Amino acid sequence: MDCGRLTSSLGDQREERNLEVETVVYSGFYGDVASSFLWEKGERESIIDILLTVVRRCGHVCEMSHIAVILGAYGASLSRQDQKLLLLLRCYEQNGASLAEFGVLLWGPAAVEFQKARKSLGKSIWQQPSTDQILTLLDKDKMHQTLLNFPQYRHILPQSGKDEIFKDDNIKDLDSLYDPCFLLPLFSTIVKSDSVIDCQKFVYTNALGVTIAALSSYDANLLCLLDAFKNGIRQKNSCVPFSLAVYIAKSAQQIFKPGEYMYLVINKFLLSHQYLDIKKVPGFFKMFYNSDLEHRVEREWILHLLAEGMKDRYSYEIYSSQRIFQVLLAFFSCPLSDESAKNQILDILTNAAQVTKAAYELIRDHGILGWILSILQQRYFDIQFLLPIRVATADHLFPYYSHCTTQSIYITVSEWGITAAADWKEKYQYTASSPP
């Protein structure tokens, strides 16, 4: 079956024939969706495209019995297929099919099994899925990846006139992340006052972490969640920096590790502060410069936080305002800096170089290219460790770099050693432009 041609033909049918053709096509396709796990990925997606086309043209075909099939095929991820299935569910709601009858939503094979039990038991003894069943479906590692790579530009509601399918070139594998547009309303449902929830499991599965990460979203519709941070928010509708969201998520996970040294450190810090300043990295200087016997543990923890939290310009501005980059660049060459700390600092710089403003200011204000050459000449690290910084910086800097100076350092590495060439402009032929 040529699903793509069928989708196109549906869009080309004349108005008087749409109703008859689409109703007939739609009625025969739910078996395909129900068994979508057996289809090739491309064909599976084409089938969903057909269903979306039919529902949008012929809303009266939507029936409550279809929703269970859609939920059975849905994986709650950011894959193209799952995003389209979520759009399909929204189309059903817009056409009068209420999801409230299903209560708290399950998805995937668990949804199929639950609906089978619902049919066999009947409404008299059938019960809504528990919050524990919902949290059990969440993969802890996948939730952690969703936290670290939270799609900040994902809109919780579809935007008219824009592409309905979310894309982000900075996220390598969207299929490996959960979709916050599905999870956040789900979490909102299960944490209502009349629900019984296992708070420990909610935190352990990183559900709390993903919820906190949502506060760094650029979607204004999510900023209503900021009421939970009223003591720390000084401006209306402020966005919580991603670095702070990561700090809160990591601190919450530390609760389950009372035997670790960092459990006492984090608890002591949080209990001694009435609120978290959203314009600072909490406890950076105390952890970084601690002289206790376990000072390396604290330094490693805070450096790991800096690397994971360096995601956008807001996080960079926080780091810059605290002069964190000056501290890191100076400490790198210090005798107290071990190999582990050096690797973590390089991770932070590599992530910072992905942000245009950070890359520009790292060259203009901190001389990062000269610093890299100095490190290479002193043989602190092999080029393979420093090359990602240079490449990432180059990708973001060259349109702006000639604005601040005409000279730079071009590092080329051969099998025999290091050579330097001055004059980026001649090599890359960029013209001066204003800084980011």
Side-chain angles (χ1 to χ4, degrees), residues 31 35 53 68 92 102 115 152 177 227 260 266 268 293 398:
S35 60
T53 302
Y92 268 73
F102 290 82
Q115 293 307 318
Q152 294 174 299
L177 307 180
D227 287 341
E260 293 187 1
I266 298 298
K268 184 178 180 180
L293 291 176
F398 288 130

Side-chain angles (χ1 to χ4, degrees), residues 252-403:
Q253 286 294 316
Q254 199 67 52
I255 294 175
F256 301 104
K257 305 170 184 176
E260 293 187 1
Y261 174 76
M262 288 305 300
Y263 175 86
L264 295 175
V265 175
I266 298 298
N267 276 353
K268 184 178 180 180
F269 178 83
L270 293 177
L271 292 173
S272 63
H273 290 74
Q274 292 182 334
Y275 64 89
L276 293 177
D277 190 341
I278 66 172
K279 295 183 178 181
K280 292 182 178 180
V281 177
F284 167 72
F285 289 104
K286 186 176 186 307
M287 291 188 190
F288 192 83
Y289 289 115
N290 196 339
S291 58
D292 293 344
L293 291 176
E294 300 291 342
H295 64 277
R296 281 192 174 87
V297 177
E298 293 190 40
R299 185 179 297 142
E300 181 179 347
W301 194 93
I302 197 65
L303 288 176
H304 193 252
L305 169 69
L306 293 176
E308 292 183 337
M310 185 63 254
K311 185 178 178 70
D312 55 19
R313 61 172 299 193
Y314 300 109
S315 297
Y316 165 74
E317 287 171 355
I318 290 174
Y319 293 9
S320 180
S321 66
Q322 288 186 270
R323 300 185 178 278
I324 288 178
F325 288 104
Q326 287 96 321
V327 172
L328 298 181
L329 293 176
F331 182 75
F332 189 94
S333 302
C334 175
L336 296 177
S337 177
D338 55 21
E339 185 174 351
S340 175
K342 286 184 170 66
N343 280 321
Q344 289 181 299
I345 292 173
L346 293 179
D347 288 339
I348 297 168
L349 294 175
T350 301
N351 292 344
Q354 307 293 330
V355 180
T356 302
K357 181 177 182 180
Y360 173 78
E361 293 188 358
L362 281 173
I363 278 194
R364 187 194 65 182
D365 300 334
H366 302 288
I368 189 68
L369 295 177
W371 180 85
I372 292 175
L373 181 59
S374 173
I375 296 301
L376 289 173
Q377 289 175 336
Q378 296 176 44
R379 295 297 193 271
Y380 278 120
F381 271 87
D382 188 77
I383 184 61
Q384 62 179 328
F385 295 102
L386 293 168
L387 193 58
I389 302 177
R390 199 269 297 172
V391 172
T393 309
D395 289 343
H396 291 78
L397 294 181
F398 288 130
Y400 315 106
Y401 187 70
S402 58
H403 175 78

Side-chain angles (χ1 to χ4, degrees), residues 399-411:
Y400 315 106
Y401 187 70
S402 58
H403 175 78
C404 59
T405 182
T406 59
Q407 295 294 320
S408 181
I409 301 171
Y410 176 59
I411 303 171

Side-chain angles (χ1 to χ4, degrees), residues 13 38 143 148 166 178 210 224 293 364 392 415:
Q13 294 292 333
L38 303 178
M143 287 289 287
L148 296 182
F166 172 75
Y178 283 110
V210 170
C224 60
L293 291 176
R364 187 194 65 182
E415 184 178 355

Side-chain angles (χ1 to χ4, degrees), residues 185-201:
L186 180 66
F187 293 161
S188 177
T189 301
I190 66 177
V191 299
K192 291 189 302 186
S193 58
D194 58 344
S195 301
V196 178
I197 183 171
D198 185 343
C199 295
Q200 181 175 348
K201 195 167 188 177

